[in-house]
Amino acid sequence: MLARLASSARTSSKRVVPTLRRSFYKTNEPKQLNDLLYSVFMKSNVAYSTAVVGVAIFGGMAYDSMFEGLWKANNSGKLFEDVIEQSFPNPPEGTEEEEEEDDDDDDDDDDE
């Protein structure tokens, strides 16, 4: 029995087992999305930080406008902007919005 195990061990060491390796050298294959994102946004610290800040700003603006639109669509007719005009079509004198006058009150009285 030992002879059989020893002979099988010798034959198994001669067997070539193919291994899956990822090649890290440049090829002519088109770049994958992950490679493109890495090379553009994550290769340097400055680019990564800029991408994080940009996504935070523009993502926040998109998130805010999306939910603001959903809120207005679900609550149309109940919002202050909608109700105030219906409840008070003729506001009392002195409460209407005033037009801003362009007073030119500069302290440039040096012309004397």
Side-chain angles (χ1 to χ4, degrees):
M1 181 152 164
L2 273 175
R4 198 176 344 156
L5 286 174
S7 66
S8 67
R10 278 186 243 142
T11 57
S12 67
S13 65
K14 293 178 185 176
R15 239 183 293 164
V16 177
V17 178
T19 59
L20 298 173
R21 293 189 329 185
R22 182 176 176 186
S23 60
F24 289 103
Y25 56 89
K26 293 186 178 186
T27 61
N28 291 333
E29 297 176 10
K31 281 192 168 185
Q32 299 293 328
L33 180 62
N34 294 342
D35 296 334
L36 181 66
L37 288 175
Y38 176 78
S39 65
V40 173
F41 295 114
M42 294 184 236
K43 204 164 192 175
S44 72
N45 202 13
V46 173
Y48 181 75
S49 301
T50 305
V52 167
V53 170
V55 166
I57 290 171
F58 291 112
M61 289 170 42
Y63 183 85
D64 183 48
S65 65
M66 180 180 71
F67 280 102
E68 183 77 21
L70 284 172
W71 183 264
K72 285 185 177 183
N74 287 332
N75 294 310
S76 63
K78 302 177 201 171
L79 299 173
F80 179 77
E81 295 89 15
D82 301 334
V83 174
I84 194 68
E85 294 173 2
Q86 296 171 359
S87 299
F88 302 104
N90 299 319
E93 190 173 322
T95 59
E96 62 270 351
E97 292 183 24
E98 296 179 12
E99 295 180 15
E100 291 185 23
E101 296 179 16
D102 189 21
D103 292 337
D104 196 15
D105 292 339
D106 292 338
D107 293 335
D108 295 336
D109 297 335
D110 297 337
D111 295 339
E112 296 177 33

